Amino acid sequence: MSEMATSVKNEQIIAKEIFSPVLSEENEKRFDRLKARLQNLLPMNYIEAIKREIAEVSTDEEAYDIDAMKYVASLSVLIDLSQQGWIFEIQDNDLFLRMEADNVDDKRMLRYRLSAERNAQFKTASVAAFVRKMEAAKTYNGKTVSIENLIGNTDALMERIRNGHQVCEPYVQLVTNDRDEYTGYKLTDIWRYFRYTWSIPYKTMPGRNLYYLVRDRLQAEHPVIGIFALGNSVLNLTVRDDDIGWTVEAIKTEMSRKMEVSYCTQNLSETDGKKVKVKVTKPSETKVDFEKRTEQYADIIYPLLLKNIAEAIGDIYVKDLGYHRQTKYPRQEQIDRLLAISAEYSQKSLNNKNNETAPDWESEAKTNLFIRKRSAELAKLLATRMVFNEAIGESNREKLIYLLSNDAGRKAINTALVANRKCKIGSNMMDIIVCGAIPPYNELLGGKLVSMLACSPTVIRDYTLRYSNQISEIASRMKGKRVIRDSRLVYLGTTSLYAIGSSQYNRIKMPLSSGCVLEYRKMGVTEGFGTLFFSRETTSLFSRIMELQDGGKRINHVFGEGTSPRFRMISRGLSTIGIRADAFLRHYSPRIVYSIDLAKNTKEFLMGIDEDVDYGFDLYDEEEVLNRTQEICDYWYSRWLEKRLTTVDIIERLSAFNVSDLLVGNI
């Protein structure tokens, strides 16, 4: 192979990892024999051979002990990684997995990687029965209906287009357990069915959720234009947190002198007049302006950081931890004792359960799980207070500069920021976890409409009303009394499925009469980690193995154990079989991160600078909420739909739509 060809090939490989699980001696030999067999097969036959090996090991009931389970789990992970796009390569009986750039950037390949788990859903008896029920004809109010009645009628759409009439009349509908007045189906079932048409596997999400249908009032059964859903925001997302101001780096940037960059050309000496481009960096503010600006900023931020720490300590039940709330100057021995308590109760935190019916919050705070959490959190906060107490400087600016100059100070600032951030993320922010049009409305740019309505005053109002009195389960168990967080929605975030972004989010920037600007802002790109490609079989095996190892369940999907139980389950499971979790949980699918501010003062509110939210409209005035939402529909119609009708052959595209291609039962 030529040197150039070798270079190109190496550039295509973005990751290469050895796959060498830690197995018992007997199963290690079995794995070696399997790898030897794979070497004699074509790559297209690898998975079938691995499945046969799993079946052979699993059916031997007498020998199916925890060691055999670990071997089967390793093989199950191999199948999952193959579906994710990892390519198998055997060298000297070592199994390597490599990820190539083509597998990451190709939309078609990504859809393929997602298809296995998605299609596996439809083999589940309950899901298959649900699909059959929705697609079967039934009688409702004297007429025959099925899910097809909720799919847009292209003939009706084309007739309106040809006659120059209004094409559709969208409205947004909150999904509840009520039945649809036009078809008799439960709204939840309608949403669920259309969610199954997505290329991404359907998984329910814990925590706060809102589900919506966007429908067309101009057709008889009000067919579905699109669907969307909101779920809990991701806890840590650097590009988002930097933008809001929730990171040490963001504070460091604010405390740095602003610079401007320009370029000029210079003659290169002794080169007969050859010129080079030179980067020139110089301050864009005077020293006086810099000091004045950073002084004003520090006078706002530094007291906020101290307030965050005090409020976080105040939110912890401390009667059994030997801590007095009036302690302004904690000592290291107090912190060490709290850490010892946390370590002791960590070993006792098995088979955790929460009292979900009528919890006594003080009793819940005294469970092993929450004694561990409270003592660890209090130790961290007291250590942070110690660092702030020792900050050197006369002014807030000097103290902040000092803290930013050393590791302990930066860690303390981060803890103070997180204390505020985790409250806001759980209550005032949501992520758009599902968003898109249902054919044939995708041809009418229904995806942009759905994206815009996800940010509408109707959604803000619905969220606030639903969660305004909801008890915060974890915070209440930490404090030993009922806690209700502020639930005014001020921020939405989302990510594209593909590295190139999402056409439905691109160029959405709409000035509203309220004074706000509805805009999907690109924050940056993240690869991140994920568990989407790991199958139920793998997760179940990991759960059983860890339960046998630990003598009980450490991950019980209860409030307080930690975020993302599935992620922790798979991460721990991979470590249990000796596989590097950080290597194989990275999903190698770069995604663009978008943010949407829902209020005029979103950032100030999220930082804790402002206590009130300025939406530019009255959240509790039903008529105003509906009018502002209609404003979004009208803008979409004139800005996007009307132009769409003149820029493509929309009749031809609608004519090509076939309802049967959308039906889930035909997959």
Side-chain angles (χ1 to χ4, degrees), residues 129-271:
F130 169 77
V131 171
R132 286 195 300 271
K133 181 191 77 171
M134 297 297 287
E135 293 181 353
K138 69 171 185 174
T139 301
Y140 179 72
N141 284 348
K143 61 182 179 181
T144 301
V145 297
S146 73
I147 194 65
E148 290 189 37
N149 292 77
L150 290 166
I151 299 172
N153 185 309
T154 51
D155 289 337
L157 291 172
M158 288 188 292
E159 182 182 356
R160 289 184 169 278
I161 292 170
R162 289 190 181 105
N163 294 329
H165 295 160
Q166 182 175 347
V167 180
C168 61
E169 188 178 337
Y171 67 94
V172 62
Q173 182 178 30
L174 177 65
V175 172
T176 65
N177 285 320
D178 293 343
R179 290 192 177 273
D180 175 38
E181 62 179 298
Y182 304 102
T183 61
Y185 293 115
K186 283 188 174 181
L187 295 175
T188 50
D189 287 347
I190 295 172
W191 194 94
R192 178 187 175 193
Y193 181 89
F194 285 115
R195 175 59 181 83
Y196 279 134
T197 66
W198 255 239
S199 61
I200 302 177
Y202 175 36
K203 289 182 172 67
T204 56
M205 302 289 288
R208 297 184 175 193
N209 288 285
L210 287 177
Y211 301 89
Y212 285 90
L213 301 169
V214 178
R215 304 181 69 172
D216 181 1
R217 192 178 278 114
L218 287 187
Q219 293 195 27
E221 282 80 28
H222 293 205
V224 177
I225 296 174
I227 63 173
F228 66 91
L230 307 184
N232 287 347
S233 285
V234 176
L235 194 58
N236 297 300
L237 192 58
T238 302
V239 292
R240 174 201 67 193
D241 298 343
D242 279 341
D243 181 68
I244 292 172
W246 277 344
T247 63
V248 175
E249 195 60 37
I251 290 181
K252 186 178 177 181
T253 299
E254 288 291 340
M255 292 297 293
S256 300
R257 194 170 180 180
K258 292 182 179 179
M259 310 295 286
E260 65 179 25
V261 177
S262 60
Y263 295 89
C264 66
T265 56
Q266 289 184 358
N267 291 325
L268 208 58
S269 61
E270 301 181 5
T271 61

Side-chain angles (χ1 to χ4, degrees), residues 198 205 209-210 227-234 429-436 447 450-456 459 489 491-496 504-505 508 518-520 594-596 598:
W198 255 239
M205 302 289 288
N209 288 285
L210 287 177
I227 63 173
F228 66 91
L230 307 184
N232 287 347
S233 285
V234 176
M429 303 171 62
M430 294 285 273
D431 280 350
I432 302 173
I433 55 175
V434 174
C435 185
V450 176
S451 302
M452 295 166 73
L453 286 174
C455 318
S456 66
V459 172
L489 186 63
Y491 182 102
L492 290 179
T494 193
T495 57
S496 63
Q504 69 184 21
Y505 301 138
I508 291 183
L518 175 58
E519 179 181 9
Y520 277 77
Y594 296 90
S595 74
I596 310 98
L598 302 178

